Amino acid sequence: MSIDTKINPPYSSLADIYDIVMSDVDYETWADYIDEIIITHNPEANHLLELACGTGTIALSLEELDCYDITATDGSSDMIRVAKKKGASVNSKIHFEVMDFNNIKSNKSYDVVYLIFDSINYLKEEELILKLHQDVKNILAPNGIFIYDFTTPRNSRKAVKYLDNDTHTIGNKYRYQRESSYDAKNQIHTNVFQIEQLKQTGNIGTDLFKEIHKQKIYSQDYMCSIIEKTEFTILEAYDGFQLLPAHKNSLRITMVLQ
Ligand SMILES: C[S@@+](CC[C@H](N)C(=O)[O-])C[C@H]1O[C@@H](n2cnc3c(N)ncnc32)[C@H](O)[C@@H]1O
């Protein structure tokens, strides 16, 4: 029996299994790292805006610290649906909403805008990165900071070795396969998720969905050359999850801009 594969937009069919796919990620430590950066660079910060919050795990973890008022946004309505459900289950006060970070709209200003887990790598053109910086600047309070991380070519080279052909079955409900490849010449990292929603145990009667995720991979020098064209000052470029300077071998770099 042949099964038709439907190509869905990124982070639509993946939303319901995203937290399981990311179960190896230590989000609490990541949230603590963002908190440390805030304490270091804008200790009075209260109002936080998360862009590309996904299913809201970082925002919910930061909320547990009981010192931030958080708005968390994502471009995918499916990711926000899951985030809202998680928020409701813990009586969260986080305001979750759908927002494309290419089209930021807010009447409020924020002490911190943050965008994590290489979500900025979804922007494949310099003009879009420049626009994002300008739009964030327009909604930052005085002394406000913009925090984001991006992954480097070295990370992509290493990551494909363990992400490619990653196959898992989740209960008797889903099965997914991830193919991961890196085009070093064009610096494009592609992850293809093939998701089967099992209607009953086994192979019969499955729905097949495919999502193709493409990210542009940036070196530190290139990202810094873009930032130089913005009105931001680089406070720090941190290596990985540490408060130490990034270097040419860094896999993930966290920028702190003001
Ligand atoms: C790798 S996931 C990271 C999600 C979340 N930050 C986390 O740590 O789990 C990338 C996220 O970026 C979001 N995204 C991609 N392009 C976007 C855009 N233009 N506007 C808003 N969100 C976007 C996706 O919907 C997805 O939730």
Side-chain angles (χ1 to χ4, degrees):
M1 183 176 68
S2 73
I3 303 171
D4 289 338
T5 302
K6 191 164 174 258
I7 299 199
N8 280 349
Y11 299 100
S12 53
S13 23
L14 190 62
D16 286 311
I17 59 168
Y18 181 80
D19 287 350
I20 296 171
V21 175
M22 296 300 162
S23 55
D24 287 346
V25 178
D26 184 349
Y27 278 108
E28 192 172 299
T29 298
W30 208 331
D32 287 343
Y33 179 58
I34 298 297
D35 179 53
E36 264 188 76
I37 292 175
I38 295 171
I39 291 169
T40 306
H41 296 284
N42 195 3
E44 303 299 318
N46 175 237
H47 296 287
L48 272 49
L49 172 67
E50 180 166 359
L51 305 175
C53 70
T55 57
T57 312
I58 290 276
L60 289 163
S61 187
L62 282 171
E63 186 183 41
E64 288 176 7
L65 302 177
D66 207 14
C67 49
Y68 299 122
D69 170 69
I70 306 173
T71 297
T73 66
D74 195 276
S76 156
S77 56
D78 287 302
M79 296 294 265
I80 289 295
R81 170 180 50 78
V82 176
K84 281 183 174 168
K85 194 171 165 198
K86 283 162 66 177
S89 73
V90 293
N91 292 322
S92 168
K93 292 193 175 63
I94 295 172
H95 175 64
F96 286 108
E97 75 178 59
V98 176
M99 190 170 75
D100 184 343
F101 59 54
N102 289 312
N103 189 19
I104 296 174
K105 287 197 170 72
S106 177
N107 302 321
K108 279 177 67 177
S109 68
Y110 296 92
D111 304 307
V112 179
V113 176
Y114 65 99
L115 166 64
I116 64 136
F117 210 160
D118 49 75
S119 301
I120 199 168
N121 291 93
Y122 280 95
L123 295 181
K124 296 188 248 343
E125 287 148 38
E126 180 176 321
E127 291 68 37
L128 293 177
I129 297 184
L130 288 172
K131 180 175 184 304
L132 171 70
H133 283 75
Q134 183 59 46
D135 290 351
V136 169
K137 189 198 154 270
N138 291 343
I139 56 165
L140 274 181
N143 296 325
I145 55 172
F146 183 23
I147 305 169
Y148 61 86
D149 64 80
F150 62 96
T151 51
T152 62
R154 174 169 272 100
N155 180 71
S156 282
R157 268 278 287 280
K158 287 181 184 292
V160 289
K161 296 192 177 88
Y162 60 85
L163 292 181
D164 192 32
N165 274 320
D166 179 31
T167 307
H168 291 274
T169 302
I170 301 166
N172 59 1
K173 233 178 149 189
Y174 297 101
R175 185 165 38 231
Y176 76 89
Q177 184 187 24
R178 170 168 35 193
E179 287 164 24
S180 192
S181 58
Y182 180 53
D183 169 359
K185 185 163 170 277
N186 296 304
Q187 293 185 236
I188 296 290
H189 194 133
T190 306
N191 284 297
V192 177
F193 289 90
Q194 187 128 314
I195 301 157
E196 289 177 64
Q197 199 168 6
L198 307 171
K199 284 187 179 145
Q200 48 188 270
T201 315
N203 246 337
I204 304 158
T206 61
D207 291 331
L208 258 190
F209 302 98
K210 198 174 189 172
E211 291 189 11
I212 302 169
H213 298 198
K214 284 191 183 288
Q215 289 172 291
K216 173 97 176 169
I217 305 305
Y218 296 100
S219 67
Q220 183 178 2
D221 284 351
Y222 187 56
M223 191 58 91
C224 288
S225 74
I226 298 177
I227 296 165
E228 270 173 24
K229 296 177 191 168
T230 74
E231 293 175 52
F232 279 100
T233 303
I234 299 176
L235 296 181
E236 292 291 348
Y238 287 128
D239 175 43
F241 299 96
Q242 307 185 70
L243 296 178
L244 294 171
H247 48 78
K248 67 181 175 49
N249 298 332
S250 293
L251 302 176
R252 179 179 300 280
I253 297 176
T254 301
M255 305 301 301
V256 187
L257 311 183
Q258 193 161 44

